[in-house]
Amino acid sequence: MKTKMALSIILGLVSFVLVAIMFTQFKTVEQTDITAIETMREAELRTELTSWKAKYDEVQEKVDDTKNKIAEYETQLNSSQNTSDVINNEIKDYERFLGYTKVTGQGIEITLSDSEDKLIESLDLLKLVNELKSAGAEAISINDERIVTNSDIVSVNNRLILVNSRKLSSPYVVKAIGDKKYLESAIIIKGGYIDSIKAAEKAIDYVLKDDILIDSYKEEIKMDYSKEVEDND
Amino acid sequence: MVYFGIILGCLLGAILGMHAPVISYTYSSYLSIAIIAALDSVFGGIASVIKKNFDIKIFLTGFFGNAILSILLTILGNKLNVDIYLAAIVVFVGRMFTNLAIIRRYYVEVWSNKIASLKEKKENETDSNTTE
């Protein structure tokens, strides 16, 4: 009786252990998510690892390619920056030529002023500007109105003088940058400009300066009607 | 009494197993080998009961020893990169089949004996009836 009791207890325990393990295993097999990395077998993990390594190498290659491309683009960018610098310099030069920049340099400053009975006319200014231009003036302004290629110097009703369509009044200060000796000699020559003005009993005075500052042209130069024509020579 | 203990153990084990946490898939393969080994021992035990040479010591050592040994062999196989667990499965399942065959033969014999004895009884009864 006692041995039977012990036997049944032992067999019960054994079956308990076996069945418990079996059910745990059933549950595990049933519930295991094959894709979850924690539950993967080593072999699976190894194959996964190798595939990822291959992918990594591929991506690394792509990264290198892209880096090379970036370097290429950077060099191109630098070279294009150089060309754009050149172009910018050219643009600045042309702006200077056109009168779109303030300029300074040696030159002459001529002051014409109305006297009590004689007024300065637009023709006087026009003549003076022409004289200065022929003497090699690089930049000219009248009362800080810059004289450019399409500047006008006209009089209205023989009273008002318009330069660049702006009304000016006496005294008229004409500044010109250029070789100051040439400029001076161009106007003080005998029978020249100053003589003619003085003969007309108008007041004129001039100063030679080394640092004449001439303001820039403020308007926009428009080309509405003229079109470019190809040169065929 | 013995059957009652076995059934009770099975029920409790099923309940515990259902509530046990899920184990990692890596160890799950070792556990499956242990289960196969244990099942082999169980069938071997039943066969030995039938053969009337059942020994509880041999059964217990076989049950746990085979399970643990198979687990150790599987681990060793993993280390050696040899699928030893396949050999274990082949051996254990083969033995399970032989043991099951022994059990089957025994019960078939028992059944055929029973039927033969029943037939004999009937024949005896009819014989006695006719003689009467």
Side-chain angles (χ1 to χ4, degrees), chain B residues 3-110:
Chain B
Y3 292 115
F4 174 74
I6 290 168
I7 289 163
L8 187 74
C10 284
L11 282 176
L12 286 175
I15 290 162
L16 182 83
M18 283 200 231
H19 292 281
V22 173
I23 51 168
S24 160
Y25 212 83
T26 319
Y27 302 116
S28 148
S29 62
Y30 300 132
L31 207 60
S32 59
I33 291 295
I35 288 167
I36 297 293
L39 275 177
D40 166 62
S41 299
V42 167
F43 287 118
I46 294 167
S48 64
V49 166
I50 285 162
K51 283 187 199 160
K52 296 202 168 59
N53 59 355
F54 178 74
D55 190 340
I56 188 73
K57 281 170 260 169
I58 288 171
F59 173 70
L60 278 182
T61 50
F63 185 88
F64 291 108
N66 275 353
I68 291 162
L69 249 170
S70 59
I71 287 173
L72 289 176
L73 275 175
T74 310
I75 291 168
L76 182 70
N78 265 349
K79 295 258 186 268
L80 290 174
N81 200 14
V82 178
D83 292 337
I84 289 179
Y85 70 93
L86 282 177
I89 284 173
V90 169
V91 170
F92 287 137
V93 175
R95 261 166 55 178
M96 264 160 76
F97 274 113
T98 48
N99 285 331
L100 278 170
I102 289 165
I103 294 160
R104 179 172 47 84
R105 272 158 202 265
Y106 173 78
Y107 280 106
V108 165
E109 224 166 86
V110 166

